[in-house]
Every structure is written in C-alpha cells, then in structure tokens.
C-alpha cells in the first residue's frame, strides 16, 4: 500500500462496476436512471467527488431530466441545465492544464475533445443566447463518451479492493514522512519567531526555503501551492495545519511522540539550548518563543499531553544523560506554566459567563491581560480555549510522578501542584515541594536535629494531620483518638502516651519512669513474701 490512501464513496469494486455497467453497458440498453441514483448516493457519502465522476453526474442528471420531461414545449430551463453541465465538464476536466497557461482550444485538441464544445462553453459563459437543444444533446453524448474513454475505462483496468484494519491505517505514514512533518513545523516555529524578520515566503533564506519547500512537497504534493512567494508565513501555517491534521489521524501516536523526543529533537537539544539560552534556572523567553508555533501545533492536535508526559519520563534519566534530563525538566516547567495560564483564564471566563469559543486568538490574549494584569510574565501561550488535560489536574494520576525518585522534580513540582483540582492547601503543597527538595539534595539537610521537642510540637503535628484529613476528606477523630488526662494505656496505633498526674515525678530516680518504679516495688514485695 502507498504512503497515502484515499477514502472513496463506493463500498467495493463490485459496486463501482455495477454503476459502470449501468452507464456504459455494451450488451443491452444503458440504465441511466439507476446509474444516476448510485451517483447521487456517492455524492451524499462524499461531497467532494473525483472530477470525472462529478462531471458524469452533472451531465447524466440533465440527460435523465430531459428524457423524462413531460412538458416538451418550454426548453429554456433544460437548455440552461445542459449548458451549465457542459461548462462544468470543460472546467473540471481541463482545469489542471489551464492552470499552466494553456488555452482551452489547445487543451481540447490535445485531449481529443471537439473544439466546438469549447465554443459552447464560451457561448454559455459570455453570450446572451443559449445553444440549441439539439446541439446541447449531441455535445452531452460526446462528453459522456469522452468520460468513458478517459476516466471510467482507465479506472476499470486498475481498480482493486484493498481491505485494511485499524492498525494498518495507523502505519500508512512512513517514519521518514513523520520526521519531515516534525521538521517542517519546527522550522516554521523558528521562522515565525517574534524577533524574526521573516514575514512572507520570499523572506526565508534560500537554503532554508529550498529545504522547507522540498519537505512540504514530499508530504502534501501539489495540495499546497508554494509558487506565490508573497504568501505570508502565517497563511502557509494555516494551510499546513489542516493537511497535517489529516496526516496525524493516520499516524501511530506513540511512534510520533517517540520521534518528537528522540536524540535529534531540537526541543531537547542541549546544543541549541546552550546557543540560545543563558539562564541557569529557567529558559530564556527568546529561546521559548522559537518553539511556540510548534507547541501550539501539538496543542491543537491533542498531542501536548502525551508529549509532556514523555518529556517528564526523560527528566528521570538523570543517571544516563544529566544535561538533557535537566533541560527536559525546564521545558516541563515552562509548559505547565502555560497550562496554568490557560486554567486561570478558563476558570475566570466561567465565573464571568464569557463564551471564549467564538473569540479570536488576539481577542483571547487581550482578555487574559485585562483579567490578569499582574500575572507573572510567561513567554509561552497555548490554546486558551482548550482545558488543561486531566493527567495534570488529578492528584491520583500525578501521584506516581511526584513520589518517584527524581532530582529534577524540584524544577517543575510546584507548577504541577498548582494545576491540581480541587486545589491543594498551601501547607500541603509546601510540604510536598520540600520533600522533593530533600530527595533531590539530601546533603543540604541535617540528619540529626539539635532541637528539644515539647508538647507544643505535638500540637503542631495535630494541626498538620488536620490539614491532611481536610485534603483527604477524612475525620480528624478517625486518626487522633480522644483520651482522658488520667489515661495511661498506650494505643496500638500511636507512639504517644500521656502521663498521669498522679505520679510523683520528683521522687523518681533518673533513668526510670514513675510506673516503672511501681512495677519494681511490686516485684520486690512478691520476693519478700
């Protein structure tokens, strides 16, 4: 199977041949009404029919109406219908050659169509009078025969059934094409950087222009017209987005994500990072902006979630590639900050009952800055219409991420915890972040404490446990049982034991507790007896 497949309106070769035989049967009379019925079914299944079938349908529809017409006196409408169908036939079948600058008469001569049919087309388009009905009927018959010889018969020779399952469809796009697709969007992202002077295709440096154009033509053929060098780069991106979406539907997503984060990925390239970013703790805004279009492309096609989760896995490879794993953690932080902006925006829009789906990107950004004028500057904005993926808002889903040993976790754990809904209390977020820091750098914490703990520390522990219970919707009483002041029995699930006030602490020797004194005295009494 080729790298591309086309969805056709007929169910099988048998159905196609049935329509063909109704149109061009050699053993008996043609069954035009039945053929027309099937062509209309195909039109309903697939509004964009191949040019040959579309032209056949237009001509056949008028011919059947003319044959079945009851009133033969008024032929004006039928002449208009015939003329329109013939004009559509000429336009459809000769359009590709006409685009190259050839005249319709030269094309008709080359393709074997009588030149007087081209005259009918011109007369229909520019004259005040329509051709005669007899001439139009004759032209329709010739056009249908021409369609048989130049379209239907050719396809009959090569038409075959090819049945595929879902897994085969997902592998129809080759690995080379997937890499080219990633390369195209990464290159466009760099070209459309805010500091870049590239506004149209003509502004692209010649070496990059040649490479970009070759990749686009290899991926989409003539579907993307690159001849107009005055075309703005944003217009090209808009066109590519539609075709790329169709290609992504036929790609194995896991395979695509692996290619997005492999060793040749520019996003995780430490060389590109060192060349463009000077910040040690985060990422330079200029560096981030170079990948904005690329990340927006992933967002619009629902790939950002899987991409980010895969980048998080790379942060855990600190033993094999320390530099790249740290860069991956910085990118995770940046993406999560952008998602946080989206989350804040959508929550505010919901409060104010603002419909954001019908607003443009420019209007959404303006609204964001109006609502959050003091928001921390974030160079990266994603789709403000798309909600944050569940993978980053559910505490149960992110638990394996924040509990796994990963020194790079400190770079993005705070951004991750801010996305959790319902919101976590600040003390809990702080304690989790501190724990991650302890795991990442245990040498910065003293193993031994010089502090002497008092009952006040016990009260602080109780308050922390209450916070934990609020977060987990549990009752404090289920964890901390009530005990009386005189209760000295130690509970099995507790390390704490309250001392009774009845003991004489001042008379107790160093190294013993009051109740141990009583036990010793009791034992001595037993021995004496």
């Amino acid at each position: 199977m080729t790298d591309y497949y086309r969805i056709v309106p007929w169910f099988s070769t048998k159905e196609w041949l049935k329509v063909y035989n109704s149109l061009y049967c050699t053993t008996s009379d043609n069954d035009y009404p039945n053929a027309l019925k099937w062509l209309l079914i195909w039109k309903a299944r697939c509004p964009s029919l191949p040019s040959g079938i579309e032209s056949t349908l237009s001509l056949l529809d008028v011919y059947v109406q003319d044959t079945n017409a009851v009133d033969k006196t008024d032929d004006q409408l039928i002449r208009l219908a015939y003329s329109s169908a013939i004009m559509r036939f000429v336009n459809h079948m000769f359009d590709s050659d006409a685009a190259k600058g050839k005249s319709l008469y030269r094309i008709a001569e080359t393709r074997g169509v009588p030149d007087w049919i081209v005259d009918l087309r011109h007369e229909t388009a520019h004259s005040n009078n329509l051709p005669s009905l007899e001439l139009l009927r004759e032209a329709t018959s010739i056009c249908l025969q021409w369609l048989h010889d130049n379209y239907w018969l050719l396809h009959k020779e090569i038409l075959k059934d090819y049945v595929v399952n879902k897994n085969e469809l997902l592998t129809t796009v080759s690995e080379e094409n997937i890499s080219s697709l990633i390369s195209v969007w990464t290159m466009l992202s760099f070209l459309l950087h805010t500091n870049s002077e590239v506004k149209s295709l003509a502004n692209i440096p010649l070496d990059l222009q040649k490479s970009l154009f070759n990749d686009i033509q290899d991926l989409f053929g003539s579907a993307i017209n690159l001849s107009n060098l005055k075309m703005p780069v944003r217009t090209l991106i808009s066109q590519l987005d539609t075709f790329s979406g169709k290609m992504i539907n036929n790609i194995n997503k896991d395979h695509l994500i692996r290619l997005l984060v492999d060793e040749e990925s520019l996003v995780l390239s430490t060389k590109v990072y060192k060349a463009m970013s000077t910040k040690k703790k985060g990422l330079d805004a200029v560096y981030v902006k170079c990948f904005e279009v690329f990340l927006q492309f992933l967002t619009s096609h629902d790939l950002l979630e899987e991409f980010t989760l895969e980048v998080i896995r790379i942060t855990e490879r600190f033993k094999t590639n320390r530099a790249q794993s740290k860069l991956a953690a910085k990118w995770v932080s940046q993406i999560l900050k952008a998602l946080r902006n989206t989350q804040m925006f959508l929550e505010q829009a919901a409060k104010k009952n603002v419909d954001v789906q019908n607003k443009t990107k420019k209007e959404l950004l303006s609204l964001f800055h109006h609502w959050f004028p003091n928001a921390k500057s974030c160079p990266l904005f994603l789709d403000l219409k798309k909600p944050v993926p569940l993978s980053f808002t559910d505490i149960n889903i992110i638990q394996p991420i924040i509990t796994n040993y990963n020194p790079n976790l400190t770079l993005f754990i705070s951004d991750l915890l801010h996305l959790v809904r319902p919101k976590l209390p600040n003390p809990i977020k702080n304690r989790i972040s501190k724990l991650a820091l302890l795991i990442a750098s245990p040498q910065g914490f003293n193993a031994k404490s010089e502090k002497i703990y008092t009952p006040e520390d016990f009260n602080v522990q109780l308050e922390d446990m209450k916070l934990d219970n609020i977060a987990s919707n549990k009752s404090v009483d289920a964890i901390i049982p009530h005990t009386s002041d005189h209760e000295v029995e130690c509970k099995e699930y507790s390390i704490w034991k309250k001392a009774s006030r009845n003991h004489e602490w001042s008379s107790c020797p160093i190294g013993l507790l009051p109740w141990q004194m009583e036990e010793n005295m009791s034992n001595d009494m037993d021995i004496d007896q």
Side-chain angles (χ1 to χ4, degrees):
M1 188 176 181
T2 60
D3 287 343
Y4 296 96
Y5 69 93
R6 182 184 295 275
I7 298 177
V8 294
W10 49 88
F11 180 75
S12 61
T13 301
K14 182 179 179 181
E15 183 178 301
W16 190 94
L17 291 173
K18 181 179 180 180
V19 177
Y20 172 81
N21 291 329
S22 298
L23 280 169
Y24 302 107
C25 184
T26 56
T27 57
S28 60
D29 294 336
N30 297 329
D31 190 359
Y32 284 158
N34 185 58
L36 177 62
K37 180 191 74 173
W38 278 103
L39 291 180
L40 290 173
I41 291 174
W42 290 359
K43 182 70 173 176
R45 291 175 180 170
C46 184
S48 181
L49 292 172
S51 297
I53 298 179
E54 188 71 48
S55 298
T56 304
L57 173 59
S58 300
L59 294 167
L60 192 63
D61 192 9
V62 181
Y63 182 84
V64 172
Q65 290 185 45
D66 182 24
T67 304
N68 297 333
V70 178
D71 186 4
K72 303 288 186 179
T73 56
D74 187 5
D75 62 355
Q76 181 66 19
L77 290 178
I78 201 69
R79 288 168 63 196
L80 180 61
Y82 268 127
S83 300
S84 298
I86 292 173
M87 183 167 63
R88 284 172 58 83
F89 162 78
V90 174
N91 291 343
H92 272 297
M93 304 314 299
F94 300 162
D95 183 64
S96 59
D97 290 333
K100 300 177 182 178
K102 298 181 181 179
S103 69
L104 290 178
Y105 288 105
R106 176 64 61 86
I107 299 170
E109 180 182 1
T110 304
R111 305 286 294 275
V113 175
D115 56 1
W116 59 271
I117 290 183
V118 178
D119 289 334
L120 291 182
R121 186 260 181 203
H122 291 331
E123 191 174 348
T124 300
H126 306 293
S127 175
N128 293 330
N129 298 318
L130 294 174
S132 66
L133 187 57
E134 290 74 15
L135 191 60
L136 291 170
R137 286 170 177 164
E138 179 64 21
T140 299
S141 178
I142 292 175
C143 291
L144 286 172
Q145 186 58 43
W146 186 92
L147 286 167
H148 170 264
D149 298 337
N150 293 272
Y151 177 80
W152 290 90
L153 187 60
L154 296 179
H155 283 75
K156 180 184 177 182
E157 301 297 329
I158 62 174
L159 195 67
K160 293 181 180 179
D161 286 332
Y162 192 96
V163 180
V164 296
N165 57 36
K166 184 177 180 180
N167 292 331
E168 288 177 309
L169 288 177
L170 291 175
T171 58
T172 54
V173 181
S174 66
E175 180 176 331
E176 182 179 355
N177 283 341
I178 298 176
S179 299
S180 297
L181 182 67
I182 296 172
S183 175
V184 164
W185 279 99
T186 307
M187 193 180 303
L188 288 172
S189 191
F190 272 81
L191 292 174
L192 208 63
H193 187 273
T194 51
N195 294 342
S196 172
E197 297 180 356
V198 175
K199 305 300 179 184
S200 65
L201 300 186
N203 300 136
I204 302 176
L206 290 179
D207 54 341
L208 291 179
Q209 185 185 96
K210 182 178 179 181
S211 175
L212 178 65
F213 286 10
N214 287 339
D215 284 341
I216 292 176
Q217 288 177 347
D218 290 342
L219 289 170
F220 309 112
S222 59
I224 303 292
N225 184 12
L226 300 172
S227 60
N228 180 17
L229 295 180
K230 295 182 180 180
M231 178 192 298
V233 177
R234 289 193 178 276
T235 302
L236 175 62
I237 288 176
S238 179
Q239 294 181 11
L240 286 174
D241 191 60
T242 302
F243 289 99
S244 299
K246 294 178 180 178
M247 177 178 287
I248 287 174
N249 290 334
N250 306 318
I251 292 177
N252 186 306
K253 298 292 178 65
D254 293 337
H255 184 53
L256 172 61
I257 297 300
R258 284 196 297 272
L259 289 178
L260 285 172
V261 297
D262 69 0
E263 296 179 355
E264 298 181 1
S265 170
L266 291 180
V267 182
L268 299 179
S269 170
T270 53
K271 293 181 180 179
V272 175
Y273 168 69
K274 290 178 180 178
M276 301 187 63
S277 186
T278 57
K279 294 179 67 175
K280 293 183 178 180
K281 291 187 177 181
L283 301 177
D284 281 350
V286 174
Y287 171 73
V288 173
K289 278 291 185 181
C290 289
F291 296 94
E292 184 173 28
V293 172
F294 172 72
L295 292 172
Q296 288 174 347
F297 164 73
L298 296 183
T299 304
S300 62
H301 296 289
D302 298 322
L303 295 170
L304 185 70
E305 180 180 1
E306 290 84 354
F307 172 76
T308 307
L309 291 174
E310 188 63 32
V311 176
I312 290 176
R313 295 186 187 98
I314 293 177
T315 68
E316 299 169 355
R317 303 174 188 170
F318 53 90
K319 292 183 178 179
T320 57
N321 195 332
R322 181 178 178 183
Q324 189 184 49
S325 66
K326 190 171 183 179
L327 174 60
K330 292 180 178 181
W331 265 116
V332 172
S333 174
Q334 196 66 61
I335 293 172
L336 295 179
K337 282 182 170 65
L339 291 175
R340 173 62 178 149
N341 283 343
T342 302
Q343 187 181 60
M344 290 165 48
F345 179 77
L346 291 176
E347 288 175 349
Q348 186 71 1
K351 290 180 181 178
K352 295 181 177 293
N353 293 322
V354 176
D355 183 11
V356 300
Q357 298 301 323
N358 296 324
K359 294 185 180 295
T360 64
K361 179 181 177 181
K362 187 176 181 179
E363 291 173 336
L364 294 174
L365 286 174
S366 176
L367 200 55
F368 177 88
H369 292 300
H370 173 69
W371 285 343
F372 307 102
N374 298 322
K376 293 182 180 179
S377 59
C378 178
L380 179 62
F381 278 93
L382 303 175
D383 191 345
L384 291 175
K385 298 180 182 179
K386 280 185 173 290
V388 178
L390 183 63
S391 298
F392 307 126
T393 61
D394 190 330
I395 187 64
N396 296 315
I397 296 179
I398 70 170
Q399 185 177 2
I401 298 175
I402 63 179
T403 56
N404 190 24
Y405 175 68
N406 179 9
N408 294 314
L409 184 62
T410 56
L411 297 176
F412 62 87
I413 188 170
S414 178
D415 302 307
L416 188 58
L417 294 176
H418 279 308
L419 294 175
V420 174
R421 292 294 181 273
K423 293 182 179 181
L424 295 174
N426 286 331
I428 290 181
K429 288 190 289 188
N430 293 336
R431 288 166 60 193
I432 295 176
S433 299
K434 187 176 181 179
L435 179 60
L437 183 61
L438 172 61
I439 294 174
S441 53
Q443 66 279 4
F445 294 83
N446 292 325
K448 297 181 179 180
S449 176
E450 298 178 354
K451 180 180 177 181
I452 299 175
Y453 289 89
T454 67
E456 292 299 323
D457 299 301
F458 177 62
N459 295 331
V460 172
Q461 186 185 18
L462 288 179
E463 292 299 322
D464 289 345
M465 295 179 72
K466 290 178 181 178
L467 287 174
D468 291 339
N469 292 324
I470 292 173
S472 59
N473 296 322
K474 293 181 180 179
S475 170
V476 177
D477 295 337
I479 305 293
I480 309 297
H482 294 290
T483 57
S484 67
D485 291 337
H486 301 284
E487 184 177 359
V488 296
E489 292 296 328
C490 183
K491 302 297 184 182
E492 294 181 0
Y493 46 77
S494 174
I495 63 173
W496 297 95
K497 180 177 180 181
K498 287 188 176 181
S500 171
R501 295 180 181 176
N502 298 329
H503 295 295
E504 296 181 2
W505 287 86
S506 60
S507 62
C508 182
I510 295 176
L512 291 177
L513 296 174
W515 49 88
Q516 292 176 329
M517 281 285 297
E518 294 175 358
E519 291 174 359
N520 290 337
M521 291 177 63
S522 176
N523 291 335
D524 292 340
M525 290 177 63
D526 291 338
I527 293 174
D528 293 340
Q529 291 177 355

